[in-house]
Amino acid sequence: MNKKDKLLTIGQFASMHGINKKTLMWYDEIGLFKPAVINPENGYRCYNYHQSPVLETILLLRELDVSINEIQGFIKNRSAASLKCLLEEKIKALDMQITHLQAVRTTLCTHHQNMDTLLTMDLSEISIVEKEEHCLVTVDVDRNTSFEQEVELITAETEKYQLGRLHKASYGSMISVNSLLNGSFENYSKLFIEIPFLPYQVGLHIMPSGKYLRAFHKGKWDGIPKRYQKILNYAKEHKLNLHGFSYEMGINENVIDRIEDYIVQIEIPITG
């Protein structure tokens, strides 16, 4: 007799597949996976090696959260075509889950980086940093846009990109360098949403790669113009050309209770 034709006890077969023998007993009871032989003398279930691929397929589908009813339907009409169709559906769902987890990880890393910055930062410092290119979702605003309208605009965009939860993205404001140079420090023109792993699409705003001036402001928003004036003076003194937009983003909203403790990170692209 071929070794692969030899019968295995339920305990041996369960151990070989890393499961509890009660699982095999349950699968038998519901008609999902039957033993090869039942000993007529003692009622013991026995299995053979050739049943392993079918059991492993069942265990894989269960790991993918396929319902018992779905698996029973597949087992009754098992074919390459039906398995291909079922796996394609689950691969798509798994890809979506992986993308979600990657986005959550990116969000956690952003929060971790912000907390590290908070613990080591010098609020008076203006530094030069290197940044990679990012795609941003933006909505247009002006001085007449109310807070309620801003919330509606942001909500519409989060729904459009199926974010589900606000924590899956980073949010901020944009003001053009031209407005800053003209002294119009409250002339904000856009709100932005930075979504992890967002591929380029027509209509998205590109936050260019390269060098940026980075500075921080702590306190109420009415103090930001003074901070911008210091940034402009710094750029002039060091012969740096500012261009594009200034990107503002709060970095400690989740660890403060008072607006006086609010810290805004300011980043502006530079050349020179």
Side-chain angles (χ1 to χ4, degrees):
M1 178 186 291
N2 190 306
K3 288 183 179 181
K4 293 183 179 181
D5 293 325
K6 289 185 176 181
L7 296 177
L8 300 169
T9 67
I10 188 171
Q12 291 172 325
F13 197 68
S15 179
M16 186 169 73
H17 291 278
I19 59 175
N20 192 299
K21 65 180 183 180
K22 289 183 178 180
T23 301
L24 288 174
M25 294 170 66
W26 181 53
Y27 284 172
D28 181 17
E29 290 170 3
I30 64 176
L32 178 61
F33 184 74
K34 294 286 187 180
V37 174
I38 295 181
N39 190 313
E41 297 180 2
N42 53 27
Y44 288 172
R45 299 170 173 86
C46 296
Y47 299 80
N48 63 44
Y49 177 85
H50 298 290
Q51 292 180 283
S52 288
V54 177
L55 178 59
E56 280 300 322
T57 300
I58 292 172
L59 295 176
L60 172 62
L61 295 177
R62 289 296 291 151
E63 193 172 338
L64 293 173
D65 291 327
V66 180
S67 70
I68 290 294
N69 287 338
E70 285 183 280
I71 297 176
Q72 286 177 320
F74 163 71
I75 293 297
K76 289 178 181 178
N77 300 283
R78 200 161 77 250
S79 69
S82 61
L83 182 58
K84 177 176 180 288
C85 182
L86 183 58
L87 292 179
E88 283 177 349
E89 178 184 334
K90 296 307 171 183
I91 288 171
K92 184 178 179 180
L94 190 60
D95 285 342
M96 291 178 64
Q97 185 179 2
I98 290 171
T99 299
H100 166 71
L101 291 175
Q102 288 176 328
V104 171
R105 187 183 189 282
T106 298
T107 300
L108 292 177
C109 288
T110 298
H111 286 317
H112 181 272
Q113 181 180 348
N114 288 344
M115 295 308 102
D116 184 60
T117 299
L118 287 173
L119 294 171
T120 59
M121 71 193 312
D122 177 355
L123 285 173
S124 65
E125 182 183 13
I126 298 175
S127 60
I128 297 175
V129 298
E130 194 82 24
K131 293 183 67 69
E132 296 181 356
E133 179 181 285
H134 291 283
C135 291
L136 304 178
V137 177
T138 61
V139 294
D140 295 330
V141 295
D142 56 35
R143 296 181 182 182
N144 297 319
T145 307
S146 68
F147 176 73
E148 290 75 14
Q149 289 173 321
E150 290 180 355
V151 171
E152 290 178 2
L153 290 169
I154 290 295
T155 301
E157 290 302 315
T158 57
E159 291 177 352
K160 177 180 176 182
Y161 288 90
Q162 300 180 330
L163 284 178
R165 298 288 299 277
L166 291 176
H167 73 257
K168 295 180 181 178
S170 300
Y171 303 82
S173 305
M174 295 165 56
I175 183 170
S176 71
V177 168
N178 286 337
S179 292
L180 297 178
L181 295 175
N182 291 330
S184 301
F185 299 115
E186 297 180 357
N187 190 28
Y188 290 89
S189 57
K190 297 178 185 294
L191 303 177
F192 72 78
I193 310 170
E194 183 177 353
I195 304 173
F197 311 110
L198 180 67
Y200 175 74
Q201 302 173 39
V202 175
L204 292 180
H205 173 86
I206 300 298
M207 186 177 182
S209 61
K211 294 181 178 180
Y212 283 69
L213 271 190
R214 174 183 287 171
F216 301 93
H217 168 72
K218 182 178 181 180
K220 297 181 179 180
W221 284 280
D222 57 11
I224 290 182
K226 290 183 179 179
R227 190 57 173 151
Y228 271 124
Q229 193 58 63
K230 290 183 179 180
I231 293 171
L232 294 175
N233 292 339
Y234 179 94
K236 183 177 180 181
E237 179 183 348
H238 291 81
K239 297 181 172 56
L240 301 174
N241 296 315
L242 308 179
H243 62 91
F245 289 87
S246 173
Y247 302 87
E248 298 179 10
M249 184 172 64
I251 64 170
N252 67 336
E253 296 164 311
N254 50 359
V255 293
I256 62 167
D257 296 315
R258 305 185 315 146
I259 189 62
E260 289 80 7
D261 297 322
Y262 188 79
I263 297 176
V264 176
Q265 176 180 275
I266 300 169
E267 294 180 330
I268 312 175
I270 61 171
T271 57

